[in-house]
Amino acid sequence: MSLSILSRYAFFVGCVLFTLLSLPFWHHEWLWPFTLLTALLSLVGIIDLLQSPHSVRRNYPILGNIRYAVEAIRPEIRQYLLESDSDALPFSRAQRSLVYSRAKNESADKPFGTLIDVYQTGFEFISHSMRPAPLSDPNAFRVIVGGPQCTQPYSASIFNISAMSFGSLSANAIRALNKGAKLGNFAHDTGEGSISPYHREYGGDLTWELGSGYFGCRTADGRFDPQRFAAQAQDPQVRMIEIKLSQGAKPGHGGILPKHKVTKEIAETRGILMGEDCVSPSRHSAFSTPFELMQFIAQLRELSGGKPVGFKFCLGHPWEFMGIAKAMLDTGILPDFIVVDGTEGGTGAAPVEFTDHMGVPMREGLLFVHNTLVGLNLRDKIKLGASGKIVSAFDIASVLAIGADWANSARGFMFAIGCIQSQSCHTNKCPTGVATQDALRQRALVVPDKAERVFNFHRNTLKGLAEMLAAAGLDHPSQLEAKHLVRRMSATEIKLFSQSHVFLEPGQLLTGEVDGSFYSTMWQMARADSFEPNAIP
């Protein structure tokens, strides 16, 4: 037998021999614990040799299990022992600490200067004024959502809870988020999983997200049910209706709720069967063209009693959104708002290829949508929200500067209620009770305490934004423009966002003054009667 084989099996053989040799001395009580331990290890070794799925365990009985044990706790080891403050995995320790501090109403101030390399390419900052403005009241940072066709406009905070469904999140997480939204007077997006009893418990303002599964307003075969929709949408707690066309984590892919997370309550809330994975269709059945989407928006607005109706999407083919914009012009029907998600967003599980390589990042998508609406003289009639990896006042300011009217955050508010980024959301084994349907696990999340943290995080983040605005000489977030946001392009060059990006003038797409540009080409490709593009010679 070679030395290599001896070394691989030495520990296993040693355990077996110790167990056998110690049996005659069983009368020595001090020996019992050691004998029992080696006997158990010997049993593990025998199982390792007999099993077939894991080659490492067959080659290294007993010791091979160390590999799998360490692999199981690898995320925790990396997060707590190896990760630096700036490693974004996907959120850095510094970002999470900022949320935790603000949620606990603790000081988030840092001494001794920044840890960020301000000379690194990609560094961004807000330029300040030599004449700072007086500090504004963060409670006044609101925007009226509701265009000319809306009869029940909504005064929304510029910072709201992004879409997260009951099912993906626990009942206690939903309770805490909604109670915090009620305390802070801001909106809570239901996610596509419909309005659960836990959304209604504390009466916080709701944005009802309607996905392709039409959960909460679906027929037996999964199609849209107008009567069931109207019954829920006319509830005073529902302030806005949001059609989900796609989401940042997996654009073009239906939402997934594994069957082990589908409880009786979730099945009743969504109108689905238990014992099956809840997979949303990848596209809507209520419409199939830009024209039909506009008609669906008009139908939802009428059924809801005139409430703001819009849609959320992650930008994909540019001509498809421009096709929607052409349908707006042709039909005269306008959404009251559009929320632009980005590929960097996403709280739920998704195929890795989708997470890493599908969809347009939020800022580029936001800028394209903003420019398109400006170029068609529609921007003043439609409000824009932005959603995607937003946790700080600077994150909010950066999206407002390039066209958004408000910002939504999902993972930021998850951190506020205790999420530790264990990335086990899809396993039903969330260690903090945030993303699980395990009744015992979610007991760890104490609703009154975490609701207060949601309120604190919102309030302190907007307070931080007010201080940034004052330093920039501004009174309200609506005054932020691309000229206020600066990015380092190289070691020797910085540029204002107004210099490094194209910004269309009002009506330019209508007059054809952008002929030959990217926007002009996409406009020619766009069709109002189909999501398919026109051929360009």
Side-chain angles (χ1 to χ4, degrees), residues 389-522:
K389 213 169 182 181
I390 294 171
V391 296
S392 72
F394 176 77
D395 294 337
I396 298 172
S398 65
V399 296
L400 298 185
I402 58 175
D405 293 297
W406 83 84
N408 293 335
S409 176
R411 288 169 289 185
F413 283 100
M414 286 179 70
F415 291 141
I417 58 175
C419 171
I420 59 172
Q421 195 171 269
S422 69
Q423 301 183 56
S424 56
C425 310
H426 60 302
T427 67
N428 208 30
K429 296 179 180 179
C430 172
T432 60
V434 174
T436 179
Q437 298 309 309
D438 184 306
L440 189 60
R441 285 177 178 270
Q442 63 176 287
R443 281 187 69 253
L445 198 159
V446 180
V447 173
D449 175 66
K450 295 303 188 286
E452 192 69 27
R453 293 191 184 191
V454 169
F455 167 68
N456 288 338
F457 172 56
H458 178 270
R459 179 173 57 85
N460 289 326
T461 301
L462 289 190
K463 180 182 176 183
L465 179 62
E467 292 174 341
M468 291 190 77
L469 291 173
L474 306 175
D475 301 313
H476 192 273
S478 61
Q479 296 173 308
L480 276 166
E481 297 180 22
K483 65 184 179 185
H484 297 116
L485 188 60
V486 190
R487 182 181 178 88
R488 176 169 291 284
M489 311 303 291
S490 70
T492 58
E493 182 184 24
I494 62 171
K495 280 188 177 182
L496 307 180
F497 265 57
S498 56
Q499 296 174 309
S500 57
H501 293 282
V502 173
F503 287 88
L504 299 189
E505 294 296 325
Q508 268 192 292
L509 279 172
L510 296 174
T511 61
E513 295 177 18
V514 290
D515 186 49
S517 72
F518 171 76
Y519 284 92
S520 174
T521 302
M522 293 301 107

Side-chain angles (χ1 to χ4, degrees), residues 44-299:
V44 169
I46 293 169
I47 293 171
D48 288 340
L49 289 172
L50 295 177
Q51 60 83 40
S52 58
H54 303 289
S55 301
V56 172
R57 288 170 57 197
R58 285 172 66 88
N59 268 332
Y60 298 88
I62 304 175
L63 295 178
N65 290 280
I66 296 173
R67 183 257 186 197
Y68 298 100
V70 173
E71 184 181 52
I73 61 171
R74 180 178 179 273
E76 289 80 5
I77 292 174
R78 183 164 188 174
Q79 182 175 140
Y80 296 114
L81 300 178
L82 304 178
E83 175 188 337
S84 76
D85 285 347
S86 59
D87 287 340
L89 300 168
F91 286 86
S92 69
R93 165 61 61 180
Q95 289 173 308
R96 301 197 304 274
S97 295
L98 175 67
V99 176
Y100 296 148
S101 296
R102 285 180 168 162
K104 295 174 184 177
N105 224 16
E106 298 172 351
S107 174
D109 295 346
K110 286 183 65 67
F112 223 65
T114 182
L115 299 178
I116 298 173
D117 180 1
V118 299
Y119 295 99
Q120 183 178 16
T121 299
F123 172 69
E124 294 177 350
F125 59 96
I126 297 286
S127 56
H128 68 282
S129 172
M130 298 292 286
R131 186 177 171 79
L135 192 66
S136 299
D137 179 8
N139 292 320
F141 293 173
R142 307 190 72 82
V143 57
I144 301 298
V145 183
Q149 298 162 353
C150 172
T151 59
Q152 294 192 55
Y154 174 56
S155 174
S157 170
I158 64 160
F159 188 40
N160 301 287
I161 301 172
S162 196
M164 294 179 286
S165 300
F166 169 55
S168 296
L169 299 191
S170 68
N172 279 0
I174 296 295
R175 286 185 175 112
L177 290 170
N178 195 256
K179 185 175 183 179
K182 180 69 172 179
L183 292 171
N185 192 24
F186 55 97
H188 177 193
D189 194 311
T190 65
E192 68 171 310
S194 189
I195 306 170
S196 71
Y198 310 109
H199 286 98
R200 298 190 184 280
E201 199 166 318
Y202 294 103
D205 290 349
L206 294 177
T207 298
W208 183 13
E209 183 178 270
L210 205 63
S212 55
Y214 306 115
F215 301 125
C217 59
R218 59 190 265 136
T219 61
D221 61 352
R223 303 183 73 84
F224 176 68
D225 185 328
Q227 286 70 40
R228 293 190 67 190
F229 171 80
Q232 294 219 63
Q234 292 180 18
D235 188 305
Q237 189 182 353
V238 177
R239 308 306 296 267
M240 300 194 294
I241 313 296
E242 177 184 275
I243 304 167
K244 190 192 87 168
L245 301 183
S246 59
Q247 65 186 93
K250 43 182 177 286
H253 193 292
I256 303 169
L257 185 66
K259 61 184 177 184
H260 58 262
K261 294 186 73 175
V262 179
T263 64
K264 183 179 179 182
E265 285 181 311
I266 292 169
E268 291 174 351
T269 297
R270 296 192 177 202
I272 59 174
L273 298 175
M274 289 184 63
E276 298 178 3
D277 289 338
C278 179
V279 181
S280 303
S282 59
R283 63 185 188 180
H284 283 258
S285 58
F287 57 88
S288 57
T289 68
F291 272 138
E292 292 175 359
L293 172 58
M294 292 303 106
Q295 292 164 351
F296 189 54
I297 287 172
Q299 180 187 15

